[in-house]
Every structure is written in C-alpha cells, then in structure tokens.
Amino acid sequence: MEKWSIVFGYTFGPIARYRTDSYSDHSGEVPHAHDARIAFSVEGTPHVELMEFTGKGTHSAYEGEGFHHLGFVDHPDVEARMKALATIDIPADGKVFNDAGDVILWFTEKSALNGVRLEYVGTDIQPVFADDGVTPYNPLDDTTR
C-alpha cells in the first residue's frame, strides 16, 4: 500500500476483506468460499483497489501480478449486462450470488478482452468486511475510515 500510495499520490483506507461463500469461477462452478484482502483508495476518480492473491481461480497467484480488472460499481442489473456481453462472446469468469441466487458481482473472462477483465458490482450490499473478517465494512462510507 505504501508503494502504491506514492505512485498514485493517493492514500488507502484500511485493509478489508471481500468474503463470501457464494463465488464461482473457472476453479469451480459450484459456489465456494472466496476471501480476498483488499484496500480502496480514499481519493479518486478513478478509485483504485489493491488486492492480495487468494484461492486457485480468478484472483490466484497463477493469474500473475499486475492490472487485474476495471470495475463498474452500482450497476443496476448485473445479470442483464452478463447476457448482453454474452451476445458478443464475452463469457463470465467470476460471480457472487445473493441469498436469492441472483448475481450481485460478475467478472468477465480476461481472454475475451485482450487480457483485461471487467467487473460489474450490483447495487446489493456486497460481502465486504474489516480485516477481522467479521465487522461489516463499506469502503465508500467515510465514517468507516
């Protein structure tokens, strides 16, 4: 975080976790646990998210270091966006589901866009927690910094 703070001229909020038991990707289509340590820039736009490697799929060390994705937050209909991009052969590789089974977060497959993933984050509350893994955390809420 210190190096990227200097590079961007941004400060970063505290380390948080995107933690869910309903993630699916190329490492397993059946929803499974996903626990990514993250930190978001306080300044922006654009806002920057730093993330540690985790798991065996889309966020693993196997994928390599460097730029991971462009993220679009508060998307009103993630599933409609998935369907629209599927019509031009851009498949999914990473989804999070809510309790009703709806997709609330979606990553595109990186090979479809020259090695760059897109991330669409819906308007549903996302499973983001403080680094303790328990306390809910909203990286866009200034009162939690």
Side-chain angles (χ1 to χ4, degrees):
M1 283 176 38
E2 185 176 322
K3 176 172 66 173
W4 287 107
S5 290
I6 294 167
V7 168
F8 287 114
Y10 288 178
T11 53
F12 286 84
I15 294 172
R17 290 177 179 266
Y18 193 96
R19 179 179 274 181
T20 181
D21 289 327
S22 61
Y23 190 75
S24 69
D25 63 5
H26 67 268
S27 72
E29 288 298 316
V30 173
H32 55 273
H34 181 79
D35 187 1
R37 292 182 77 219
I38 56 179
F40 293 94
S41 66
V42 173
E43 296 83 13
T45 54
H47 286 276
V48 175
E49 175 187 27
L50 301 177
M51 182 183 321
E52 287 184 340
F53 292 132
T54 187
K56 298 178 182 178
T58 56
H59 296 82
S60 69
Y62 174 77
E63 296 290 323
E65 289 186 330
F67 182 82
H68 188 269
H69 67 270
L70 293 171
F72 301 92
V73 298
D74 292 331
H75 196 280
D77 192 341
V78 174
E79 290 186 358
R81 191 70 181 141
M82 281 177 29
K83 290 175 186 171
L85 292 185
T87 67
I88 58 170
D89 298 322
I90 298 177
D93 188 16
K95 297 180 229 170
V96 175
F97 303 88
N98 64 15
D99 292 340
D102 301 316
V103 177
I104 63 170
L105 180 142
W106 169 56
F107 284 101
T108 63
E109 168 29 66
K110 70 180 186 176
S111 66
L113 293 165
N114 305 94
V116 176
R117 285 182 180 86
L118 301 181
E119 174 193 37
Y120 291 90
V121 181
T123 56
D124 292 55
I125 295 173
Q126 299 292 318
V128 179
F129 300 89
D131 197 25
D132 64 12
V134 178
T135 306
Y137 173 72
N138 179 351
L140 303 177
D141 179 359
D142 287 336
T143 64
T144 61
R145 293 179 193 211

